[in-house]
Amino acid sequence: MKIKDNVDVLVVGAGPAGSIAARVLAENNVDVLVLDKKQEIGTPKRCAEGIHSNVLDTVGLKPDPLWVVNETLGAIIYSPSEKKVEINFNDVGIGGYILERKIFEKHLAIDAITSGARYAIKTMALGVIKENGKITGVKAEHMGEEIKIRSKIVIAADGVDSKIAKSAGLNTTNRLEDYESGFQYEMAGLKNINFKYLHLFFGSEVAPIGYVWIFPKIKNTANVGVGILSSRSTPEKNAKYYLDKFIEDHPDIFEDASPIEINAGGVPVSSSIDTFVMDGLMVVGDAAQIVNPLHGGGIRLAMNSAKIAAEVSVNALKENDFSSSRLYEYERIWEETDGVRVKKLLKVRAFLEKLNDKDFERLADILGAKDIINLSNANYKFLFRLLLTKAPKLLPLAKKFLV
Amino acid sequence: MNVGIRNREAHASILKMRIDRKKCCYCGGCVGACPLNALELWETELVVDEDKCTDCGICVKCCPVGAIEAD
Ligand SMILES: Cc1cc2nc3c(=O)[nH]c(=O)nc-3n(C[C@H](O)[C@H](O)[C@H](O)COP(=O)(O)OP(=O)(O)OC[C@H]3O[C@@H](n4cnc5c(N)ncnc54)[C@H](O)[C@@H]3O)c2cc1C
Ligand code: SF4
Ligand code: SF4
């Protein structure tokens, strides 16, 4: 198939961010081409596939049984000694979905193509074309053949291992203190867990500055994974080590289970890269390191950033202005919306990172389900009052990081 | 499956870092962490550019499966 060599907008990456951008652009009659290096969109996955129901609302999607494989009723949080705190999503007015992400991503691409976007897969973008300081396209390789594609705007949606933003000259280095290293098995044959709940296990021996998750899918299967802070990882005690140990330590759940898939990946849990735009370039999703710094979930933020970037592109194209100052509108809108919450969540993360296992036990005693939801929504004012009466020892830490 | 070192022909390998291709899961975690843009992940091929790599060891630390070793 011939790949177009000149388009209005070129999107690099057909993940959730790239395909949402493509759909929004195509719906506005913009000539858009999406490149992905994979030969099958969505595969392999790097994801635990858990989202809140509001994730879909953000980008105008309705849950579809083709790609929502389980609906979760809540989450159970386990302290280092496995004391449980149960959260019911119903009480806080949200729902939980588990995706079959490979199918989800394909459907996002199908929607975009149906709206008029074009895709080229097995096409690796090698770097941007830069002329007089402006980004005017990308160089790519499609099945061994080098090609050049020109565009008015490039949207870099190329995920955590982004090349595009780097090759354009943006600083995208992830600090190991802001980078989670993830490893996961999709497993079948689990038992003795509630398959309608997400399960999250904390503790310095379980996952240093991170957590182990069990996100149930169909029948007796689940994504069982771990994220640990990369700066705490060593070649011997890496993410895989912690997950294998967790599985060994829980024969009640895993003795009859086997993996049907191995997934791994890095999660950027910083507050995002310094700037998202250049003349002719916008960076979205994981490539811009826009991820929830508390739990590492990135699908909603990625899709929302892509939607904002696409909407700004539509207007920039009408005005024929692709300068960084015009495209900056995307960054400004993001900073004023999701950015505010992400910055607050970063503070919550900084606070939690300083706690030891004993502190976590104490928190498990005093925090209720609503409190945990509030914390995860970056509403932490209540915490000062609570700590003052129930755990005054932690108050100075909270003041240091949360004020 | 393939894990290679770009420019191997031109330069005798002096890097201490080695990628164990039997362990690598092609997740790209190391690529995102490399400060020098020295790693490139194709579908099932992880390539190190010897000219760029400084042996800083960052990729060794962030690999979730310990597929990168350094002497
Ligand atoms: C182990 C793990 C578990 C996770 N669990 C969850 C979860 O439960 N819930 C949640 O919300 N988030 C989760 N996340 C985070 C989530 O997966 C990401 O935030 C999300 O995928 C970001 O979407 P994206 O479109 O920005 O990037 P990606 O989904 O990474 O998509 C990038 C796309 O770009 C392509 N690409 C990359 N480079 C090039 C190139 N040079 N040329 C062409 N194409 C290229 C890739 O092939 C890929 O298809 C998890 C992450 C990990 C690692
Ligand atoms: S982080 Fe490890 S497993 Fe992932 S691509 Fe790099 S070497 Fe391979
Ligand atoms: S050792 Fe450092 S410079 Fe070399 S590939 Fe790894 S992270 Fe990059």
Side-chain angles (χ1 to χ4, degrees):
Chain A
M1 269 183 75
K2 190 159 162 23
I3 299 172
K4 284 193 185 182
D5 57 8
N6 202 327
V7 290
D8 284 342
V9 180
L10 183 62
V11 178
V12 180
S19 283
I20 289 295
R23 192 197 77 202
V24 172
L25 288 161
E27 281 170 352
N28 285 280
N29 300 318
V30 172
D31 177 24
V32 51
L33 174 67
V34 184
L35 309 182
D36 203 292
K37 64 183 178 183
K38 292 179 176 175
Q39 80 176 37
E40 180 175 356
I41 287 175
T43 304
K45 73 169 195 265
R46 300 175 195 159
C47 191
E49 308 181 295
I51 58 168
H52 290 311
S53 50
N54 61 8
V55 173
L56 300 181
D57 304 337
T58 314
V59 287
L61 287 169
K62 294 253 173 305
D64 184 331
L66 284 173
W67 41 261
V68 170
V69 292
N70 194 6
E71 289 192 36
T72 48
L73 303 174
I76 302 174
I77 304 210
Y78 300 74
S79 75
S81 69
E82 303 210 351
K83 220 176 285 162
K84 296 183 199 175
V85 183
E86 193 175 310
I87 298 167
N88 289 305
F89 290 155
N90 229 341
D91 297 346
V92 285
I94 51 171
Y97 297 130
I98 305 289
L99 303 173
E100 185 62 58
R101 170 123 177 212
K102 295 169 187 169
I103 316 256
F104 176 64
E105 279 193 31
K106 275 196 181 150
H107 273 257
L108 294 181
I110 294 168
D111 286 350
I113 293 167
T114 307
S115 302
R118 290 292 168 267
Y119 276 59
I121 56 173
K122 215 169 169 66
T123 306
M124 168 97 153
L126 302 170
V128 295
I129 304 172
K130 208 171 180 174
E131 287 164 319
N132 304 322
K134 292 193 184 80
I135 307 306
T136 56
V138 305
K139 285 186 252 37
E141 190 179 309
H142 172 68
M143 302 189 77
E145 188 194 339
E146 279 220 22
I147 51 176
K148 278 188 183 156
I149 306 164
R150 301 278 169 175
S151 65
K152 294 175 179 153
I153 298 174
V154 171
I155 295 184
D158 48 342
V160 72
D161 43 332
S162 169
K163 278 206 107 47
I164 293 308
K166 254 185 217 167
S167 78
L170 293 179
N171 177 12
T172 60
T173 306
N174 281 292
R175 292 167 54 242
L176 286 180
E177 296 74 29
D178 287 326
Y179 202 59
E180 289 274 322
S181 170
F183 186 75
Q184 171 178 278
Y185 298 115
E186 184 172 330
M187 294 182 99
L190 277 72
K191 57 185 190 187
N192 296 323
I193 56 153
N194 187 330
F195 284 90
K196 280 290 171 194
Y197 281 75
L198 306 174
H199 303 266
L200 307 171
F201 297 79
F202 290 84
S204 59
E205 296 294 315
V206 178
I209 321 268
Y211 59 93
V212 163
W213 62 82
I214 302 177
F215 286 8
K217 292 185 74 178
I218 49 163
K219 291 187 179 164
N220 58 7
T221 68
N223 288 320
V224 184
V226 67
I228 65 171
L229 203 65
S230 296
S231 58
R232 300 293 179 96
S233 172
T234 65
E236 296 77 37
K237 289 193 169 183
N238 49 42
K240 179 175 183 294
Y241 163 89
Y242 283 100
L243 187 61
D244 288 341
K245 183 166 171 294
F246 179 84
I247 290 170
E248 284 256 333
D249 291 346
H250 292 81
D252 49 324
I253 306 175
F254 298 110
E255 66 185 353
D256 299 334
S258 293
I260 52 174
E261 202 173 301
I262 290 178
N263 312 119
V267 184
V269 285
S270 66
S271 70
S272 77
I273 58 175
D274 298 339
T275 177
F276 300 168
V277 296
M278 275 174 82
D279 288 342
L281 176 73
M282 295 159 120
V283 190
V284 299
D286 269 18
Q289 298 167 16
I290 302 176
V291 171
N292 182 311
L294 203 56
H295 54 58
I299 298 175
R300 194 194 78 80
L301 287 167
M303 296 198 299
N304 199 38
S305 70
K307 179 170 165 253
I308 302 169
E311 286 164 352
V312 170
S313 303
V314 170
N315 290 326
L317 286 165
K318 280 186 196 144
E319 296 158 25
N320 207 29
D321 181 356
F322 323 113
S323 63
S324 60
S325 51
R326 180 65 190 85
L327 303 185
Y328 180 75
E329 190 190 351
Y330 151 52
E331 185 165 334
R332 184 179 56 73
I333 295 174
W334 188 84
E335 291 281 356
E336 289 169 3
T337 51
D338 281 343
V340 176
R341 212 166 75 99
V342 165
K343 294 229 158 58
K344 282 177 151 182
L345 286 172
L346 211 59
K347 291 187 180 184
V348 179
R349 198 194 109 201
F351 167 67
L352 293 176
E353 275 187 12
K354 294 292 172 300
L355 305 182
N356 59 32
D357 283 0
K358 255 169 95 185
D359 301 332
F360 266 107
E361 292 299 342
R362 186 72 195 124
L363 281 187
D365 287 334
I366 64 174
L367 290 181
K370 281 242 163 67
D371 299 330
I372 292 178
I373 291 286
N374 270 327
L375 265 187
S376 69
N377 282 325
N379 301 322
Y380 44 73
K381 286 233 169 69
F382 77 93
L383 197 65
F384 298 105
R385 231 175 311 122
L386 189 74
L387 292 179
L388 183 67
T389 50
K390 302 225 167 113
K393 222 187 82 211
L394 295 178
L395 202 55
L397 259 189
K399 283 194 172 144
K400 180 166 174 202
F401 289 101
L402 295 175
V403 175
Chain B
M1 187 162 87
N2 211 335
V3 177
I5 295 186
R6 184 146 291 181
N7 300 337
R8 191 196 285 274
E9 258 74 55
H11 304 263
S13 178
I14 43 151
L15 288 183
K16 296 197 193 104
M17 66 87 90
R18 283 185 317 273
I19 298 162
D20 183 340
R21 60 163 156 145
K22 294 193 175 138
K23 282 190 193 164
C24 178
C25 304
Y26 311 110
C27 72
C30 56
V31 181
C34 172
L36 290 143
N37 207 3
L39 293 165
E40 194 166 86
L41 177 69
W42 297 66
E43 274 223 298
T44 49
E45 185 185 15
L46 179 65
V47 185
V48 192
D49 187 331
E50 286 212 344
D51 287 343
K52 290 187 188 159
C53 175
T54 59
D55 258 333
C56 70
I58 285 179
C59 56
V60 179
K61 277 203 79 78
C62 73
C63 175
V65 298
I68 310 182
E69 288 159 26
D71 291 329

